[in-house]
Amino acid sequence: MKLLVPVKRVIDYNVKVRVKSDQSGVDLANVKMSMNPFDEIAVEEAVRMKEAGTAQEIVVVSIGPEKAQDQIRQALAMGADRGLLVKTEAETEPLGVATLLKAIVEEEKPDLVIMGKQAIDDDCNQTGQMLAALLGWPQGTFASKIEKKDGEIHVTREIDGGLQTVSLKLPAVVTTDLRLNEPRYASLPNIMKAKKKPLDVKDPSDYGVDLKPRLEVLKVTEPPKREGGVKVETVAELVDKLKNEAGVL
Ligand code: AMP
């Protein structure tokens, strides 16, 4: 199988996000950026499939600024074969990304697209579903286990009542959840080797896609500060507080 893994450059999950003083967005100046954690899980799964002989080639694609090459190189160091950066300075939105990924899929012809369930910067949780819909391909979202059996992909997903397993005919789109695997760290020799792996740079116009944002951000604000909790001694005290202080009973 040939696998396509889209990875997004996002603010690192350890960084305390600060809102810009003009409320136009989040302050990204001098802030550590990383590969979206769910995409790291997708790369890891792809590499495991290749190691198991289920997959033969892994192509990693990112749509973002020049610096997104760092995240592609990380994926190459983890074991992907080839990278593609579609360069844009614009903030990407799920529909634009899905439209562009569709064009890339038509050119690369992968059997399976494995991607994160959600990007931790915009928390949209839309791109995989939109891509599957645009391609008319089956989708298995929030995968906690992926297996290839009898030419189909079996995806186990966590739902409210337990685990659900869906079987997808190839080609298909799968999105990854946290429990799928633990991504490896790239070793130094592999980081050095990754520098020699091919990484193409293209423009959205090469695919005839315009990434112009369709959404308008009105303002971005901090969430209200959390108030400290208190410990109560008895149930009666709790009920009293809920009635008389919180006014919720
Ligand atoms: P979202 O729908 O924005 O929460 O993103 C879901 C997934 O789509 C991410 O985990 C990535 O795998 C992929 N994705 C979103 N934006 C990009 C991008 N700019 N470049 C590459 N992949 C992306």
Side-chain angles (χ1 to χ4, degrees):
M1 283 201 299
K2 177 172 176 178
L3 310 179
L4 183 75
V5 186
V7 302
K8 186 176 187 188
R9 176 181 170 89
V10 297
I11 192 162
D12 187 88
Y13 72 97
N14 283 310
V15 169
K16 174 145 183 10
V17 173
R18 273 171 320 187
V19 171
K20 282 190 199 160
S21 53
D22 65 359
Q23 301 194 326
S24 62
V26 165
D27 195 356
L28 293 180
N30 302 319
V31 166
K32 183 173 181 219
M33 303 292 283
S34 299
M35 191 192 305
N36 183 44
F38 292 105
D39 303 352
E40 267 186 305
I41 294 173
V43 173
E44 175 65 34
E45 196 64 19
V47 173
R48 288 187 191 188
M49 282 180 161
K50 190 172 170 192
E51 287 168 346
T54 321
Q56 283 68 46
E57 191 188 6
I58 306 169
V59 181
V60 175
V61 53
S62 190
I63 300 156
E66 179 90 36
K67 286 290 252 174
Q69 291 197 16
D70 296 350
Q71 281 64 49
I72 298 178
R73 290 275 174 219
Q74 183 193 339
L76 296 175
M78 286 170 74
D81 298 291
R82 188 152 64 76
L84 168 63
L85 169 67
V86 183
K87 221 166 83 175
T88 173
E89 292 304 324
E91 281 214 14
T92 56
E93 291 175 358
L95 189 55
V97 171
T99 309
L100 189 51
L101 287 176
K102 175 178 185 267
I104 295 170
V105 163
E106 279 160 2
E107 193 174 281
E108 292 284 346
K109 302 196 173 27
D111 302 284
L112 188 64
V113 180
I114 312 182
M115 54 204 290
K117 73 165 181 182
Q118 149 182 14
I120 62 160
D121 52 358
D122 58 20
D123 271 349
C124 279
N125 187 340
Q126 294 170 349
T127 311
Q129 295 87 331
M130 286 179 174
L131 175 63
L134 290 173
L135 288 165
W137 286 11
Q139 57 180 292
T141 51
F142 317 142
S144 58
K145 191 168 162 202
I146 304 175
E147 270 178 310
K148 187 166 182 226
K149 262 195 224 159
D150 312 323
E152 293 192 344
I153 291 288
H154 290 238
V155 173
T156 303
R157 45 202 309 272
E158 287 170 24
I159 55 168
D160 282 350
L163 294 177
Q164 178 192 47
T165 303
V166 291
S167 129
L168 313 176
K169 288 209 174 8
L170 293 171
V173 177
V174 171
T175 73
T176 59
D177 212 334
L178 270 189
R179 263 180 279 270
L180 181 60
N181 61 48
E182 272 199 33
R184 68 194 65 191
Y185 288 103
S187 66
L188 193 57
N190 286 344
I191 294 173
M192 300 311 287
K193 272 191 229 152
K195 291 188 199 275
K196 298 210 181 89
K197 290 188 179 175
L199 198 172
D200 271 355
V201 180
K202 293 203 177 176
D203 192 81
S205 62
D206 296 337
Y207 296 96
V209 175
D210 181 3
L211 287 178
K212 197 158 54 67
R214 293 168 173 81
L215 305 174
E216 186 192 351
V217 175
L218 300 181
K219 67 174 178 177
V220 177
T221 55
E222 297 267 0
K225 287 241 173 330
R226 281 214 190 166
E227 298 194 3
V230 283
K231 263 195 182 165
V232 291
E233 298 293 334
T234 62
V235 173
E237 193 187 341
L238 173 66
V239 172
D240 178 65
K241 278 189 183 299
L242 290 174
K243 261 194 195 152
N244 300 318
E245 282 181 29
V248 291
L249 286 184

